[in-house]
């Protein structure tokens, strides 16, 4: 028997995609059919990975930015030997299967990042490639290229149209990420039809202007041209975009080249016609053993991994401390003394009792924690002097310094947060990014993806309320805190003073199963005295800051810069009022019922919440019979103290509300 040809191996991808989408009667067969030839060359000739160990440290990373074509990736994983049996492909898009409609990192072995929202896979890939470059810069030694892998990404017209592609690609060119290779599926078709009426960009020129090597007009169905393009990419000192002309739905007699093949099953009759057209004489989901043998990369992967492990052992013998540190970082483990030293710092902050803005308290915490955590890599969207995200040891990633740890993202909030997701997912880094809270809207979908993937990223948002003052309503966040709190698996912290800020940073660092957002003030916040137990309880998200004698008659609940207002309002009720500080409602909700009852007893219905933001969220805690001091409108341009008085966010208004209850 002759070995399968490249076209036949590519057809295995095509028909797994066709059959899975047909079985589900849902999905996108066109892209896998169109990019199958590119994928076959890449995965059989270049992509270095180990199917038996999807987490091998020095594997190449593959991302499907056009994630709607997920069956392409599932077919590749299945054929090359990952733990993704054919039964899972038969359950494509079904509940609890490992083959969801779009690739999900935690559901499918071999999927590096969750994709679907177009363009974010490309931005994640930029983060992965930056992580590889920085780790190699830090840990590699002559003769020991421990960190030496590539990031491959597939993307389509939709990714190119999304604004995030501009943000991420611009940075990739600036950083000269030569290990990043992107394959552009230039098929000219989107859901609405032929894109020439609404997408007329000179895409190759755009990427060349960003500083990329661009390989134009590659026939995406010609393995010789594809190989030549990849070989050219491997020689460049720049990131490379390979522009592949393809036919969407390749092989379908009546639907190839048309939008009909983009987002729906081909239909029973067309599937049979496509089988005949491509000479595929096998039943649905049937792949001959010689095809599996040609595709399987298990043994090859084990060999690559064994060679790398042997290299690491030699490296560890010569550079033991570096090897230990690299291994710790790649495993995602914190230094053993981190918690103890962090607690020492928190105790010091509590004793100092400083009155400072929480953004400044945040910078102080970074200054204290970053030297303990060389994996920390910070960044801001052109607002470092306002976000206060730089620390004494900050070194820009553009400086080619072995200790590079800071990213000047420019005004690119969306790209910034998606790149930070990629940095976290690659391993070896704990990234944080930053901007004004009001501009979290620009980044929001990447923040949502942080939580969904999930990725261990810390989002820092300053200038958190009308308290930022004169910049006015365009810059004053009103609905943003509530909006961020609505994202599942996302811890939002709005600390009320320097102590709570330090604890919020510590908890965000300790959390591994998702992102945290730190919401920080521009204006100074007074220190709140606490005993040791109260300091410990901050980590529980909500706690009693000031208590009544016996059962309280009224409870004031507050966060951030309004915590001091709650404390002042409670003084008017003597020993009959309780103040609950709620720096993180997300964390508080994870506490046991007994603790939550101790903090907010159900029997006490007279409750007043105070936050200089949207009021609606707080009725969850005060009930419909409680009161909320907050915002129902946009802000205004004026000094902060004038605004708080004008909008009625004062201790006096809180007292009035409590008395009215």
């Amino acid at each position: 028997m002759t070995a399968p040809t490249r076209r036949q191996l590519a057809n295995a991808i095509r028909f797994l995609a066709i059959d899975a989408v047909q079985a589900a009667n849902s999905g996108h067969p066109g892209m896998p059919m169109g990019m199958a030839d590119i994928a076959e060359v890449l995965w059989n000739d270049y992509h270095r990975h180990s199917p038996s160990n999807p987490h091998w440290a020095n594997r190449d990373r593959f991302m499907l930015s056009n994630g709607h074509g997920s069956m392409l990736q599932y077919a590749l994983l299945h054929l090359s030997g990952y733990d993704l049996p054919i039964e899972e492909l038969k359950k494509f898009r079904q509940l609890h299967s490992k083959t969801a409609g779009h690739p999900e990192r935690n559901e499918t072995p071999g999927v590096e990042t969750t994709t679907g929202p177009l363009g974010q896979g490309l931005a994640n890939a930029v983060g992965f490639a930056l992580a590889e470059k920085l780790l190699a810069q830090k840990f590699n030694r002559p003769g020991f290229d421990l960190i030496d892998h590539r990031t491959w990404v597939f993307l389509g017209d939709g990714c190119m149209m999304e604004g995030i592609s501009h943000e991420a690609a611009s940075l990739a060119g600036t950083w000269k990420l030569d290990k990043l290779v992107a394959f552009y599926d230039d098929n000219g078709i989107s859901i609405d039809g032929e894109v020439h009426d609404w997408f007329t960009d000179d895409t190759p020129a755009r990427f060349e202007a960003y500083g990329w090597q661009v390989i134009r007009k590659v026939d995406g169905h010609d393995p010789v041209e594809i190989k030549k393009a990849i070989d050219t990419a491997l020689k460049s000192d720049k990131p490379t975009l390979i522009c592949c002309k393809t036919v969407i739905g390749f092989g379908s007699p009546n639907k190839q080249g048309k939008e009909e093949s983009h987002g729906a099953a081909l239909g029973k009759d067309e599937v049979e016609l496509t089988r005949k057209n491509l000479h595929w004489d096998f039943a649905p989901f049937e792949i001959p053993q010689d095809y599996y043998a040609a595709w399987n990369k298990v043994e090859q992967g084990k060999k690559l991994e064994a060679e790398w492990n042997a290299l690491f052992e030699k490296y560890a013998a010569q550079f033991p401390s570096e090897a230990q540190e690299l291994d710790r970082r790649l495993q995602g483990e914190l230094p053993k003394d981190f918690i103890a030293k962090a607690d020492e710092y928190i105790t010091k902050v509590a004793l100092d009792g400083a009155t400072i803005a929480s953004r400044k308290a945040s910078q102080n915490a970074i200054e204290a924690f970053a030297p303990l955590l060389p994996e920390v890599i910070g960044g801001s969207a052109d607002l470092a002097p306002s976000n206060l995200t730089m620390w004494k040891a900050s070194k820009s990633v553009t400086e080619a310094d072995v200790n590079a740890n800071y990213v000047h993202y420019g005004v690119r909030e969306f790209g910034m947060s998606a790149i930070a997701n990629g940095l976290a997912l690659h391993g070896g880094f704990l990234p944080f990014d930053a901007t004004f809270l009001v501009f979290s809207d620009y980044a929001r979908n990447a923040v949502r993806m942080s939580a969904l993937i999930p990725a261990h990223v810390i989002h820092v948002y300053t200038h958190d309320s009308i308290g930022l003052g004169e910049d006015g309503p365009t810059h004053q966040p009103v609905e943003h805190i509530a909006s961020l709190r609505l994202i599942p698996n996302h811890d939002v912290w709005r600390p009320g003073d320097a102590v709570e800020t330090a604890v919020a940073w510590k908890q965000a660092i300790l959390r591994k199963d998702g992102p945290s957002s730190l919401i920080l003030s521009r204006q100074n916040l007074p220190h709140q005295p606490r005993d040791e137990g109260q300091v410990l309880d901050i980590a529980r998200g909500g706690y009693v800051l000031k208590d009544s004698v016996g059962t309280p008659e009224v409870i004031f609940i507050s966060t951030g810069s309004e915590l001091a207002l709650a404390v002042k309002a409670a003084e008017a009720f003597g020993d009959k009022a309780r103040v609950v500080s709620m720096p993180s409602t997300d964390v508080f909700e994870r506490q046991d019922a007994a603790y939550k009852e101790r903090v907010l007893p159900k029997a006490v219905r007279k409750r007043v919440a105070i936050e200089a933001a949207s009021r609606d969220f707080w009725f969850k805690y005060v009930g419909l019979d409680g009161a909320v001091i907050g915002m129902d409108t946009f802000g205004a341009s004026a000094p902060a103290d004038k605004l708080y008085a004008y909008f009625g966010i004062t201790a006096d208004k809180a007292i009035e509300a409590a008395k009215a209850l």
Side-chain angles (χ1 to χ4, degrees), residues 620-661:
K620 173 180 181 178
Y621 290 103
V622 303
L624 296 178
D625 50 347
V628 180
I629 306 297
M631 297 289 294
D632 289 316
T633 66
F634 293 111
S637 179
D641 57 341
K642 303 293 185 184
L643 292 172
Y644 272 82
Y646 177 76
F647 287 107
I649 303 174
T650 64
D652 287 342
K653 288 294 184 182
I655 292 168
E656 288 179 20
K659 288 181 176 179
L661 293 177

CSV table of all heavy atoms in Angstrom, one decimal, residues 620-661:
chain,number,residue,atom,x,y,z
A,620,LYS,N,-29.0,43.9,46.4
A,620,LYS,CA,-28.8,42.5,46.7
A,620,LYS,C,-28.4,42.4,48.2
A,620,LYS,O,-28.7,41.3,48.8
A,620,LYS,CB,-27.6,42.1,45.8
A,620,LYS,CG,-27.0,40.7,46.2
A,620,LYS,CD,-25.9,40.3,45.2
A,620,LYS,CE,-25.3,39.0,45.5
A,620,LYS,NZ,-24.2,38.6,44.6
A,621,TYR,N,-27.8,43.4,48.8
A,621,TYR,CA,-27.4,43.3,50.2
A,621,TYR,C,-28.3,44.1,51.1
A,621,TYR,O,-28.4,43.8,52.3
A,621,TYR,CB,-26.0,43.8,50.3
A,621,TYR,CG,-25.0,42.8,49.7
A,621,TYR,CD1,-24.4,43.1,48.4
A,621,TYR,CD2,-24.7,41.6,50.3
A,621,TYR,CE1,-23.5,42.2,47.8
A,621,TYR,CE2,-23.8,40.7,49.7
A,621,TYR,CZ,-23.2,41.0,48.5
A,621,TYR,OH,-22.4,40.1,47.9
A,622,VAL,N,-29.0,45.1,50.7
A,622,VAL,CA,-29.8,45.9,51.6
A,622,VAL,C,-31.3,45.5,51.4
A,622,VAL,O,-32.1,45.8,52.3
A,622,VAL,CB,-29.7,47.4,51.3
A,622,VAL,CG1,-28.2,47.8,51.5
A,622,VAL,CG2,-30.2,47.8,50.0
A,623,GLY,N,-31.6,44.8,50.4
A,623,GLY,CA,-33.0,44.4,50.2
A,623,GLY,C,-33.8,45.6,49.6
A,623,GLY,O,-33.4,46.7,49.7
A,624,LEU,N,-35.0,45.3,49.2
A,624,LEU,CA,-35.9,46.4,48.6
A,624,LEU,C,-36.3,47.3,49.7
A,624,LEU,O,-36.8,48.5,49.4
A,624,LEU,CB,-37.1,45.8,47.9
A,624,LEU,CG,-36.8,44.9,46.7
A,624,LEU,CD1,-38.0,44.4,46.1
A,624,LEU,CD2,-36.0,45.8,45.6
A,625,ASP,N,-36.2,46.9,51.0
A,625,ASP,CA,-36.6,47.8,52.1
A,625,ASP,C,-35.4,48.6,52.6
A,625,ASP,O,-35.5,49.3,53.6
A,625,ASP,CB,-37.3,47.0,53.2
A,625,ASP,CG,-36.5,45.8,53.6
A,625,ASP,OD1,-35.5,45.4,52.9
A,625,ASP,OD2,-36.8,45.2,54.7
A,626,GLY,N,-34.2,48.4,52.0
A,626,GLY,CA,-33.0,49.1,52.5
A,626,GLY,C,-32.8,50.4,51.6
A,626,GLY,O,-33.6,50.7,50.8
A,627,ALA,N,-31.7,51.1,51.9
A,627,ALA,CA,-31.4,52.3,51.2
A,627,ALA,C,-30.0,52.2,50.6
A,627,ALA,O,-29.1,51.6,51.1
A,627,ALA,CB,-31.5,53.5,52.1
A,628,VAL,N,-29.8,52.9,49.4
A,628,VAL,CA,-28.5,52.9,48.8
A,628,VAL,C,-28.2,54.3,48.4
A,628,VAL,O,-29.0,55.0,47.8
A,628,VAL,CB,-28.5,52.1,47.5
A,628,VAL,CG1,-27.2,52.1,46.8
A,628,VAL,CG2,-28.9,50.6,47.8
A,629,ILE,N,-27.0,54.8,48.9
A,629,ILE,CA,-26.5,56.1,48.6
A,629,ILE,C,-25.5,55.9,47.4
A,629,ILE,O,-24.5,55.2,47.6
A,629,ILE,CB,-25.8,56.7,49.8
A,629,ILE,CG1,-26.7,56.8,51.0
A,629,ILE,CG2,-25.3,58.1,49.4
A,629,ILE,CD1,-27.9,57.6,50.8
A,630,GLY,N,-25.8,56.4,46.2
A,630,GLY,CA,-25.0,56.1,45.1
A,630,GLY,C,-25.4,57.0,43.9
A,630,GLY,O,-26.0,58.1,44.1
A,631,MET,N,-25.1,56.5,42.7
A,631,MET,CA,-25.3,57.3,41.5
A,631,MET,C,-26.4,56.7,40.6
A,631,MET,O,-26.4,55.5,40.4
A,631,MET,CB,-24.0,57.4,40.7
A,631,MET,CG,-22.8,58.1,41.4
A,631,MET,SD,-23.1,59.8,41.6
A,631,MET,CE,-23.0,60.3,39.8
A,632,ASP,N,-27.2,57.5,40.1
A,632,ASP,CA,-28.2,57.1,39.1
A,632,ASP,C,-28.0,57.9,37.8
A,632,ASP,O,-28.8,57.7,36.8
A,632,ASP,CB,-29.6,57.4,39.6
A,632,ASP,CG,-30.0,56.5,40.7
A,632,ASP,OD1,-29.7,55.2,40.6
A,632,ASP,OD2,-30.6,56.9,41.7
A,633,THR,N,-27.0,58.8,37.7
A,633,THR,CA,-26.7,59.5,36.5
A,633,THR,C,-25.2,59.5,36.3
A,633,THR,O,-24.5,58.9,37.0
A,633,THR,CB,-27.2,61.0,36.7
A,633,THR,OG1,-26.3,61.6,37.7
A,633,THR,CG2,-28.6,61.1,37.2
A,634,PHE,N,-24.8,60.1,35.2
A,634,PHE,CA,-23.4,60.4,35.0
A,634,PHE,C,-23.0,61.5,35.9
A,634,PHE,O,-23.8,62.2,36.5
A,634,PHE,CB,-23.2,60.8,33.5
A,634,PHE,CG,-23.4,59.7,32.5
A,634,PHE,CD1,-24.5,59.7,31.6
A,634,PHE,CD2,-22.6,58.5,32.5
A,634,PHE,CE1,-24.7,58.7,30.7
A,634,PHE,CE2,-22.8,57.5,31.6
A,634,PHE,CZ,-23.9,57.6,30.7
A,635,GLY,N,-21.6,61.6,36.0
A,635,GLY,CA,-21.1,62.6,36.9
A,635,GLY,C,-21.1,64.0,36.3
A,635,GLY,O,-21.9,64.3,35.4
A,636,ALA,N,-20.1,64.8,36.7
A,636,ALA,CA,-20.0,66.2,36.2
A,636,ALA,C,-18.6,66.6,36.4
A,636,ALA,O,-17.8,66.0,37.1
A,636,ALA,CB,-21.0,67.1,36.9
A,637,SER,N,-18.2,67.8,35.8
A,637,SER,CA,-16.9,68.3,35.9
A,637,SER,C,-16.8,69.3,37.0
A,637,SER,O,-17.4,70.4,36.9
A,637,SER,CB,-16.4,68.9,34.6
A,637,SER,OG,-15.1,69.5,34.7
A,638,ALA,N,-16.1,69.0,38.1
A,638,ALA,CA,-15.9,69.8,39.3
A,638,ALA,C,-14.9,69.2,40.2
A,638,ALA,O,-14.7,68.0,40.1
A,638,ALA,CB,-17.3,70.1,39.9
A,639,PRO,N,-14.4,69.9,41.2
A,639,PRO,CA,-13.6,69.3,42.2
A,639,PRO,C,-14.4,68.2,42.9
A,639,PRO,O,-15.6,68.2,43.1
A,639,PRO,CB,-13.3,70.5,43.2
A,639,PRO,CG,-13.4,71.7,42.3
A,639,PRO,CD,-14.5,71.4,41.4
A,640,ALA,N,-13.7,67.2,43.4
A,640,ALA,CA,-14.3,66.0,44.0
A,640,ALA,C,-15.2,66.3,45.1
A,640,ALA,O,-16.3,65.8,45.2
A,640,ALA,CB,-13.2,65.0,44.4
A,641,ASP,N,-14.8,67.2,46.0
A,641,ASP,CA,-15.6,67.4,47.2
A,641,ASP,C,-16.9,68.1,46.8
A,641,ASP,O,-18.0,67.8,47.4
A,641,ASP,CB,-14.9,68.3,48.2
A,641,ASP,CG,-14.4,69.6,47.6
A,641,ASP,OD1,-14.3,69.7,46.4
A,641,ASP,OD2,-14.1,70.5,48.4
A,642,LYS,N,-16.9,68.9,45.8
A,642,LYS,CA,-18.1,69.6,45.3
A,642,LYS,C,-19.1,68.5,44.7
A,642,LYS,O,-20.3,68.6,44.9
A,642,LYS,CB,-17.8,70.6,44.2
A,642,LYS,CG,-16.9,71.7,44.7
A,642,LYS,CD,-17.5,72.6,45.8
A,642,LYS,CE,-16.5,73.7,46.1
A,642,LYS,NZ,-17.1,74.5,47.3
A,643,LEU,N,-18.5,67.5,44.0
A,643,LEU,CA,-19.3,66.5,43.3
A,643,LEU,C,-20.0,65.6,44.4
A,643,LEU,O,-21.1,65.3,44.2
A,643,LEU,CB,-18.4,65.7,42.4
A,643,LEU,CG,-17.9,66.4,41.2
A,643,LEU,CD1,-16.9,65.5,40.4
A,643,LEU,CD2,-19.1,66.8,40.2
A,644,TYR,N,-19.2,65.2,45.4
A,644,TYR,CA,-19.8,64.3,46.4
A,644,TYR,C,-21.0,65.0,47.1
A,644,TYR,O,-22.0,64.4,47.4
A,644,TYR,CB,-18.8,63.9,47.4
A,644,TYR,CG,-18.0,62.7,47.1
A,644,TYR,CD1,-17.0,62.7,46.2
A,644,TYR,CD2,-18.4,61.4,47.6
A,644,TYR,CE1,-16.3,61.6,45.8
A,644,TYR,CE2,-17.7,60.3,47.2
A,644,TYR,CZ,-16.7,60.3,46.3
A,644,TYR,OH,-16.0,59.2,45.9
A,645,ALA,N,-20.8,66.3,47.4
A,645,ALA,CA,-21.9,67.1,48.0
A,645,ALA,C,-23.1,67.2,47.0
A,645,ALA,O,-24.3,67.0,47.4
A,645,ALA,CB,-21.4,68.5,48.4
A,646,TYR,N,-22.8,67.5,45.8
A,646,TYR,CA,-23.8,67.8,44.8
A,646,TYR,C,-24.7,66.5,44.5
A,646,TYR,O,-25.9,66.6,44.4
A,646,TYR,CB,-23.2,68.3,43.5
A,646,TYR,CG,-24.2,68.5,42.3
A,646,TYR,CD1,-25.1,69.6,42.3
A,646,TYR,CD2,-24.3,67.5,41.3
A,646,TYR,CE1,-26.0,69.8,41.3
A,646,TYR,CE2,-25.3,67.7,40.3
A,646,TYR,CZ,-26.1,68.8,40.3
A,646,TYR,OH,-27.0,69.0,39.3
A,647,PHE,N,-24.0,65.4,44.5
A,647,PHE,CA,-24.7,64.1,44.2
A,647,PHE,C,-25.2,63.4,45.5
A,647,PHE,O,-25.8,62.3,45.4
A,647,PHE,CB,-23.9,63.2,43.4
A,647,PHE,CG,-23.7,63.6,41.9
A,647,PHE,CD1,-22.5,64.1,41.5
A,647,PHE,CD2,-24.7,63.5,41.0
A,647,PHE,CE1,-22.3,64.5,40.2
A,647,PHE,CE2,-24.6,63.9,39.7
A,647,PHE,CZ,-23.3,64.4,39.3
A,648,GLY,N,-25.1,64.0,46.6
A,648,GLY,CA,-25.6,63.5,47.8
A,648,GLY,C,-24.9,62.3,48.3
A,648,GLY,O,-25.5,61.5,49.1
A,649,ILE,N,-23.7,62.1,48.0
A,649,ILE,CA,-22.9,61.0,48.6
A,649,ILE,C,-22.1,61.5,49.8
A,649,ILE,O,-20.9,61.8,49.6
A,649,ILE,CB,-22.0,60.3,47.5
A,649,ILE,CG1,-22.9,59.9,46.3
A,649,ILE,CG2,-21.3,59.1,48.0
A,649,ILE,CD1,-22.2,59.4,45.1
A,650,THR,N,-22.8,61.6,50.9
A,650,THR,CA,-22.2,62.2,52.1
A,650,THR,C,-22.7,61.4,53.3
A,650,THR,O,-23.6,60.6,53.3
A,650,THR,CB,-22.7,63.7,52.3
A,650,THR,OG1,-24.1,63.7,52.5
A,650,THR,CG2,-22.3,64.5,51.0
A,651,ALA,N,-22.0,61.6,54.4
A,651,ALA,CA,-22.3,61.0,55.7
A,651,ALA,C,-23.7,61.5,56.1
A,651,ALA,O,-24.5,60.7,56.6
A,651,ALA,CB,-21.3,61.2,56.7
A,652,ASP,N,-24.0,62.8,55.9
A,652,ASP,CA,-25.3,63.3,56.3
A,652,ASP,C,-26.4,62.6,55.5
A,652,ASP,O,-27.5,62.3,56.1
A,652,ASP,CB,-25.3,64.8,56.1
A,652,ASP,CG,-24.5,65.6,57.1
A,652,ASP,OD1,-24.1,65.0,58.1
A,652,ASP,OD2,-24.1,66.8,56.8
A,653,LYS,N,-26.3,62.4,54.3
A,653,LYS,CA,-27.3,61.7,53.5
A,653,LYS,C,-27.5,60.3,53.9
A,653,LYS,O,-28.6,59.8,54.0
A,653,LYS,CB,-27.0,61.8,52.0
A,653,LYS,CG,-27.1,63.2,51.4
A,653,LYS,CD,-28.5,63.6,51.3
A,653,LYS,CE,-28.7,64.9,50.6
A,653,LYS,NZ,-30.1,65.4,50.6
A,654,ALA,N,-26.4,59.7,54.3
A,654,ALA,CA,-26.5,58.3,54.8
A,654,ALA,C,-27.2,58.2,56.2
A,654,ALA,O,-28.0,57.3,56.4
A,654,ALA,CB,-25.1,57.7,55.0
A,655,ILE,N,-26.9,59.2,57.0
A,655,ILE,CA,-27.6,59.3,58.3
A,655,ILE,C,-29.1,59.5,58.0
A,655,ILE,O,-30.0,58.9,58.7
A,655,ILE,CB,-27.1,60.5,59.1
A,655,ILE,CG1,-25.6,60.1,59.5
A,655,ILE,CG2,-27.9,60.8,60.3
A,655,ILE,CD1,-24.9,61.3,60.1
A,656,GLU,N,-29.5,60.4,57.1
A,656,GLU,CA,-30.9,60.7,56.8
A,656,GLU,C,-31.6,59.4,56.4
A,656,GLU,O,-32.7,59.1,56.8
A,656,GLU,CB,-31.0,61.8,55.7
A,656,GLU,CG,-30.7,63.2,56.2
A,656,GLU,CD,-30.8,64.1,55.0
A,656,GLU,OE1,-31.5,63.8,54.0
A,656,GLU,OE2,-30.2,65.2,55.1
A,657,ALA,N,-30.9,58.7,55.5
A,657,ALA,CA,-31.5,57.4,54.9
A,657,ALA,C,-31.7,56.4,56.0
A,657,ALA,O,-32.7,55.7,56.1
A,657,ALA,CB,-30.5,56.9,53.9
A,658,ALA,N,-30.7,56.3,57.0
A,658,ALA,CA,-30.8,55.4,58.1
A,658,ALA,C,-32.0,55.7,59.0
A,658,ALA,O,-32.8,54.9,59.4
A,658,ALA,CB,-29.5,55.3,58.8
A,659,LYS,N,-32.1,57.0,59.3
A,659,LYS,CA,-33.2,57.4,60.2
A,659,LYS,C,-34.6,57.2,59.5
A,659,LYS,O,-35.5,56.8,60.2
A,659,LYS,CB,-33.0,58.9,60.5
A,659,LYS,CG,-31.9,59.2,61.5
A,659,LYS,CD,-31.8,60.7,61.8
A,659,LYS,CE,-30.7,60.9,62.8
A,659,LYS,NZ,-30.5,62.3,63.2
A,660,ALA,N,-34.6,57.4,58.2
A,660,ALA,CA,-35.9,57.2,57.4
A,660,ALA,C,-36.3,55.7,57.5
A,660,ALA,O,-37.5,55.4,57.4
A,660,ALA,CB,-35.7,57.6,56.0
A,661,LEU,N,-35.3,54.8,57.7
A,661,LEU,CA,-35.6,53.4,57.8
A,661,LEU,C,-36.3,53.0,59.1
A,661,LEU,O,-36.8,52.0,59.3
A,661,LEU,CB,-34.4,52.5,57.6
A,661,LEU,CG,-33.7,52.6,56.2
A,661,LEU,CD1,-32.4,51.8,56.2
A,661,LEU,CD2,-34.7,52.1,55.1
